[in-house]
Amino acid sequence: ANGAGTVATHALLASVPGKAGARDEALSMLTDALALMERSHGTRDLLTLSYRTRLGELLIEAGNPDAAIAQLTGTPAPQVRGYAQELLEDDAFRAHHDARLRATRLRHIRDPKLRVGRCLMTYMLVRTTGARVVFEAGTDNGMGSLAALRALRRNHPGGGGLLITIDIRSDRGDFLVGDEDGWVRRLTGDSVQALRQTSESIDVLLHDTVNDPAHTRAQLQAALPHLSPRAAIQSAWFSHELASFCEANGFGYLEYAERPRGHWYGGGRC
């Protein structure tokens, strides 16, 4: 459990235990990073970031996910922001999104404008860790899958990256096209069993299934033997189970809340 850590999209971000001196650095990175989300084509602004270490808690009233990833992984903040800009300016990603929107049922339920939202966090994390294998528990419509896939392709332009994505329903993943030329392994069933049976070393685990304490514990314990030394976990749910897992296995972690700007939805903080 000496990996890069755990991150939760709108809930928990974690990594190897932080150093006390890193707090000031995090504050400066957060300040520098605010402008990026203003240019992110509809990305939800993450206005509150709660950073917790073994030494206590620091509440920052203005925060940004790229700065959090920089803090967790020890990657220079400008490099992480560069990854974010990479996706926002990616014409191929936008074209794929638009084509799938027109060709599938998504056209009836999705905003026609590309809004990367929390998928930007997924992309930045996969790029920053240099992941080769991403395991996604909870495919849903496949927007997060698409972002992770795009990051894997950039990490390994010569091939060799793999996204394993699983959902309990077989009709999920509309943004994906088949196995995306061998880059994606799509599964249907129980994520706990799939994690137990995988033979891959997982660099990034995307945890976005049901927010049930027993299920979360089972998923994380099933994943633990398969996490690579640099592994990071991104979870959509902040929970006692996830925090306890991090503390028991040497992961530091960050929790943050998402507060969409100018919208009735109050944001995610679970």
Side-chain angles (χ1 to χ4, degrees):
N2 59 343
T6 320
V7 7
T9 45
H10 51 152
L12 181 71
L13 266 168
S15 180
V16 290
K19 298 180 181 179
R23 290 185 175 189
D24 291 339
E25 181 183 357
L27 281 169
S28 63
M29 286 192 296
L30 288 168
T31 301
D32 292 342
L34 283 172
L36 175 66
M37 299 302 274
E38 297 292 337
R39 305 191 300 272
S40 62
H41 303 281
T43 297
R44 293 170 177 171
D45 294 320
L46 301 181
L47 302 178
T48 305
L49 174 65
S50 179
Y51 173 50
R52 298 180 179 181
T53 71
R54 297 178 189 278
L55 301 177
E57 177 174 318
L58 176 66
L59 181 63
I60 304 170
E61 287 300 334
N64 205 281
D66 53 326
I69 288 178
Q71 168 69 8
L72 287 165
T73 63
T75 305
Q79 181 178 338
V80 180
R81 289 197 294 273
Y83 291 144
Q85 203 63 40
E86 193 176 73
L87 184 65
L88 298 174
E89 297 174 354
D90 190 331
D91 291 337
F93 177 79
R94 184 178 298 275
H96 185 121
H97 167 274
D98 293 349
R100 295 305 292 164
L101 203 62
R102 291 191 299 268
T104 68
R105 60 185 174 177
L106 292 170
R107 65 185 180 275
H108 302 301
I109 57 177
R110 296 278 298 192
D111 191 324
K113 181 179 180 180
L114 173 60
R115 300 183 183 277
V116 293
R118 73 183 66 143
C119 296
L120 188 63
M121 172 71 85
T122 299
Y123 183 87
M124 288 189 292
L125 184 64
V126 176
R127 286 289 277 138
T128 302
T129 58
R132 186 188 73 83
V133 176
V134 176
F135 191 107
E136 180 185 39
T139 310
D140 195 38
N141 59 37
M143 184 64 182
S145 314
L146 185 60
L149 173 62
R150 192 62 181 147
L152 283 171
R153 289 183 186 273
R154 288 187 181 273
N155 285 352
H156 305 281
L162 177 65
L163 168 65
I164 305 170
T165 183
I166 185 169
D167 203 282
I168 58 173
R169 293 181 55 166
S170 60
D171 61 345
R172 296 307 191 196
D174 294 284
F175 276 113
L176 298 173
V177 180
D179 69 354
E180 294 286 352
D181 298 322
W183 286 81
V184 179
R185 185 182 302 164
R186 300 172 70 167
L187 305 174
T188 302
D190 179 18
S191 59
V192 175
Q193 290 300 321
L195 283 164
R196 287 173 178 164
Q197 295 170 5
T198 188
S199 60
E200 303 289 346
S201 178
I202 299 169
D203 300 312
V204 173
L205 172 63
L206 305 177
H207 173 246
D208 194 5
T209 56
V210 61
N211 187 21
D212 174 78
H215 193 63
T216 296
R217 285 194 298 271
Q219 284 177 311
L220 295 173
Q221 289 303 320
L224 185 58
H226 305 287
L227 297 179
S228 74
R230 62 181 177 184
I233 303 170
Q234 175 179 308
S235 177
W237 309 105
F238 174 72
S239 66
H240 171 74
E241 287 69 32
L242 190 50
S244 296
F245 173 84
C246 292
E247 292 174 0
N249 293 284
F251 287 93
Y253 59 91
L254 283 175
E255 176 213 350
Y256 68 90
E258 143 187 285
R259 295 204 327 236
R261 175 171 294 169
H263 197 275
W264 57 265
Y265 173 57
R269 184 179 184 128
C270 304

